[in-house]
């Protein structure tokens, strides 16, 4: 079942949520408004029709594809196809008995959303860039990299992975702790590489990027909802498993990398096929540079992640 979801964003940057009324599946949960496509209907036409029937609005400009979420509720398999809309006529009103509310995306409690709608909110919250610190940074470069990361946060980076394998674990945690006030002020998230205990210790604003072996050993997300969980994936099975454990994933290597020149890249066709089966936002990783952003997003990616091309 192909279901369209409208992510309506107003002039204040708020998003519209609708509550499922009594008597419906997942009654009381909040969701993005929309509904089923009819046979032969295009996604844009179907979404416009559903929003007119549900909210009384007339869509006046094409939407922008955000994420496609394959999901299973019991025996029912659906594809939730979310599009961002910024222009419409009339004020949205409840025409089907549902409660409505406008919310700042970062203020929404994920637990109040229907499970299939949570990846949509995550895709809306996450940035398009996900830089990773270089693996060859020496511990003696602590001060220099602290300054560099502060500049990056002030320059607009909103998600940074502190992957520093040459550093003692406590030193990486110390760096994250020093960066945390700036990150919180800027609305950014810091990610630790595989260090769940460190993320739990530092709390809100610090998440973890799970390594593939950690990911496959988990059955549920390992951190509270206000701490992001990423997953490092390299094949379809890992990516599908990440949908139950993480908020987002990286999929690599998409292209040939300088650090692993002998590793065969996935290529964009395989990347797209794997992303189509994943129910979470996915970053393209491996040989990525800023000029790859458009190609990545056309291939279904949240955006791009990288090391050398980002610093």
């Amino acid at each position: 079942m192909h279901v369209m979801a409208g992510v309506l964003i107003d002039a204040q940057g708020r998003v519209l949520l609708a509550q499922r009324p009594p008597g419906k599946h997942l009654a009381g949960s909040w969701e993005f408004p929309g509904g089923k496509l009819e046979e032969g209907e295009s996604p844009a036409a179907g979404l416009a029709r559903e929003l007119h029937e549900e909210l009384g609005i007339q869509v006046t400009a094409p939407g922008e594809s955000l994420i496609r979420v394959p999901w299973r509720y019991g025996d029912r398999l659906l594809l939730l196809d979310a599009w961002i809309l910024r222009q419409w006529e009339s004020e949205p009103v409840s025409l089907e008995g549902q409660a409505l509310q406008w919310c700042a995306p970062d203020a929404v409690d994920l637990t109040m959303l229907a499970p299939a709608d949570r990846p949509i909110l995550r895709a809306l919250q996450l940035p398009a860039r996900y830089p990773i610190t270089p693996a060859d940074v020496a511990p003696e470069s602590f001060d220099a990299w602290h300054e560099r990361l502060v500049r990056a946060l002030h320059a607009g980076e909103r998600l940074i992975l502190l992957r520093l394998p040459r550093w003692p674990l406590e030193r990486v945690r110390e760096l994250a702790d020093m960066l945390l006030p700036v990150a919180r002020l800027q609305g950014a998230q810091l990610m630790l590489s595989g260090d769940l205990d460190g993320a739990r210790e530092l709390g809100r604003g610090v998440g973890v990027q799970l390594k593939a072996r950690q990911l496959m050993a988990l059955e549920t997300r390992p951190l509270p909802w206000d701490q992001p969980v990423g997953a490092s994936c390299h094949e379809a099975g890992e990516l599908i498993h990440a949908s139950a454990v993480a908020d987002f994933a990286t999929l690599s290597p998409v292209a040939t990398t300088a650090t692993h020149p002998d590793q065969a890249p996935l290529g964009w066709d395989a990347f797209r096929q794997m992303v189509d089966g994943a129910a979470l936002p996915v970053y393209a990783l491996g040989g990525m540079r800023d000029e790859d952003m458009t190609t990545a997003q056309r291939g279904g990616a949240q955006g791009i992640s990288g090391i050398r091309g980002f610093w």
Side-chain angles (χ1 to χ4, degrees):
M1 182 168 62
H2 194 157
V3 177
M4 299 302 300
V7 182
L8 276 67
I9 300 178
D10 69 5
Q12 288 76 48
R14 300 176 304 171
V15 64
L16 184 66
L17 297 176
Q19 189 175 36
R20 296 186 65 81
K24 284 198 171 186
H25 179 238
L26 297 174
S29 296
W30 292 82
E31 64 183 359
F32 295 91
K36 293 186 294 184
L37 278 184
E38 295 180 353
E39 187 174 353
E41 207 172 28
S42 71
L47 180 57
R49 174 188 54 75
E50 283 286 346
L51 294 177
H52 179 68
E53 293 173 359
E54 186 176 340
L55 304 174
I57 65 172
Q58 187 70 42
V59 176
T60 58
E64 170 192 345
S65 179
L66 177 63
I67 190 172
R68 290 159 58 94
V69 182
W71 201 266
R72 182 180 294 277
Y73 283 122
D75 295 333
R76 185 173 59 173
L77 181 65
L78 61 86
L79 176 65
L80 191 55
D81 194 353
W83 289 55
I84 292 176
L85 296 170
R86 301 181 188 273
Q87 296 182 44
W88 59 86
E89 292 180 351
S90 302
E91 185 68 20
V93 294
S94 173
L95 298 180
E96 297 183 349
Q98 76 279 40
L100 301 175
Q101 64 172 321
W102 289 98
C103 305
D106 289 340
V108 176
D109 179 358
L110 276 159
T111 61
M112 76 185 217
L113 295 181
D117 287 71
R118 292 170 187 169
I120 299 176
L121 182 67
R122 282 303 196 201
L124 191 61
Q125 294 171 333
L126 287 167
R129 287 170 49 92
Y130 182 25
I132 302 170
T133 54
D136 58 357
V137 174
E140 295 77 20
S141 301
F142 184 100
D143 291 340
W145 269 91
H146 173 258
E147 293 178 9
R148 194 166 189 177
L149 289 161
V150 167
R151 289 198 302 270
L153 290 167
H154 281 298
E157 298 293 0
R158 293 294 173 262
L159 188 69
I160 300 176
L161 174 55
L162 304 179
R163 181 177 173 270
L164 298 158
R166 295 181 59 188
W167 292 29
L169 199 60
E170 289 300 326
R171 198 65 166 148
V172 180
R173 293 177 185 177
E174 182 183 352
L175 176 64
D177 190 39
M178 290 178 62
L179 291 169
L180 197 47
V182 179
R184 286 175 176 165
L185 185 64
Q186 298 295 325
Q189 303 278 354
L190 304 172
M191 304 293 288
L192 302 181
S193 179
D195 184 11
L196 278 166
D197 289 339
R200 293 184 182 112
E201 177 185 313
L202 291 164
R204 182 179 62 86
V206 178
V208 68
Q209 179 79 17
L210 298 170
K211 299 175 183 179
R213 66 177 183 276
Q214 286 179 297
L215 166 68
M216 301 308 290
L218 292 169
E219 296 300 327
T220 58
R221 61 175 292 117
L223 292 176
W225 286 102
D226 61 355
Q227 292 182 261
V229 178
S232 299
C233 299
H234 309 284
E235 48 93 12
E238 293 172 349
L239 203 55
I240 292 171
H241 188 71
S243 300
V245 172
D247 299 303
F248 66 91
T250 58
L251 181 57
S252 66
V254 179
T256 302
T257 67
T259 52
H260 299 90
D262 298 329
Q263 189 170 355
L266 296 171
W268 289 114
D269 288 343
F271 177 88
R272 179 61 193 244
Q273 291 175 9
M274 293 185 194
V275 169
D276 280 347
L280 79 175
V282 180
Y283 288 94
L285 173 63
M288 294 294 101
R289 296 183 179 276
D290 284 334
E291 51 265 34
D292 297 306
M293 181 69 75
T294 299
T295 302
Q297 292 181 328
R298 285 176 179 169
Q302 173 73 21
I304 57 175
S305 180
I307 305 171
R308 295 176 183 273
F310 284 66
W311 301 103

